[in-house]
Amino acid sequence: MSAHFELETVLLAQGIGLIAGVDEVGRGPLAGPVCVAATILDRDNLPEGLDDSKKLSAARREALYEEIFARALAVSVVFAPAAVIDAINIRQATLAAMTRAAQALSIAPQFVLVDGNDLPNLPCPGRAVIDGDAISLSIAAASIVAKVARDRLMARLDLLHPGYGFSDHAGYSTEAHRAALQRLGPCREHRRSYAPIRLLIGIDA
């Protein structure tokens, strides 16, 4: 089943016209930030083919990313870097970034649909939707924006920190990434609170 606009339609029928979708990408990687995006779609100008970013090819995500920015009423992107993740943990860093993303929209939302089962502090009412990126078009759009924005950032970080292959694996724990860590040690983009990095640099949990 593809993402749809039914959750938004129910809210629209209640007179709630500005509905934001919020999603994150990058909880699991060993390196790089977690990225959160928020989108307020125009119900009269919805991009075609929106769906959970994980179901789409890289080329399709790139094309939809441009379409979302061209058609949406508002879009925001927020990054929580590795240092913040290490300081307050990945859950709290993600929730804080979700709050910032909702607040950063150029149009204030009246309601926020958030992917997952945690609801961050929001400037308006909201609802957490488990597997929301596969259900809600607004959350699916946010998932696409977050994924493309983070992948683009990781490609830039690959130029700043060559040898780790960030542009190939986006910081996830692949065999090639682990081998590079053994060879080079961690850089400032690595999450030192994550077990593989802690073990590598000799810090106990």
Side-chain angles (χ1 to χ4, degrees):
M1 183 176 179
S2 297
H4 50 71
F5 208 59
E6 292 175 14
L7 295 180
E8 291 88 341
T9 299
V10 171
L11 293 168
L12 289 167
Q14 298 171 10
I16 300 170
L18 296 173
I19 305 157
V22 173
D23 199 6
E24 57 76 26
V25 171
R27 282 181 183 246
L30 303 180
V34 64
C35 179
V36 174
T39 64
I40 300 178
L41 297 178
D42 181 349
R43 59 180 167 178
D44 297 320
N45 193 20
L46 297 173
E48 294 184 12
L50 291 177
D51 208 346
D52 177 358
S53 64
K54 297 183 290 296
K55 297 179 181 178
L56 304 171
S57 68
R60 186 66 183 134
R61 286 194 300 265
E62 287 281 347
L64 282 168
Y65 177 93
E66 301 299 336
E67 270 203 71
I68 292 164
F69 271 90
R71 298 191 186 197
L73 298 177
V75 182
S76 67
V77 178
V78 168
F79 294 99
V84 171
I85 293 168
D86 289 338
I88 63 175
N89 76 48
I90 185 60
R91 179 176 177 271
Q92 294 303 324
T94 301
L95 289 173
M98 286 179 165
T99 298
R100 288 166 53 210
Q103 293 172 336
L105 288 163
S106 59
I107 301 172
Q110 297 171 298
F111 197 93
V112 179
L113 298 169
V114 180
D115 183 58
N117 52 20
D118 280 334
L119 197 64
N121 291 324
L122 295 169
C124 63
R127 173 184 169 187
V129 183
I130 296 173
D131 294 326
D133 49 2
I135 297 171
S136 158
L137 285 186
S138 298
I139 298 175
S143 79
I144 292 165
V145 171
K147 173 63 174 168
V148 173
R150 187 178 187 278
D151 283 352
R152 289 180 178 183
L153 176 62
M154 294 307 294
R156 292 196 294 273
L157 292 178
D158 195 10
L159 299 176
L160 294 174
H161 304 283
Y164 296 101
F166 289 155
S167 62
D168 296 324
H169 51 64
Y172 284 87
S173 182
T174 64
E175 184 177 347
H177 189 186
R178 294 192 301 272
L181 275 166
Q182 290 292 335
R183 186 173 68 254
L184 301 171
C187 73
R188 68 183 182 188
E189 298 298 333
H190 283 97
R191 303 175 184 180
R192 283 159 170 75
S193 58
Y194 278 38
I197 310 299
R198 288 202 314 267
L199 292 172
L200 186 65
I201 61 180
I203 299 176
D204 293 332

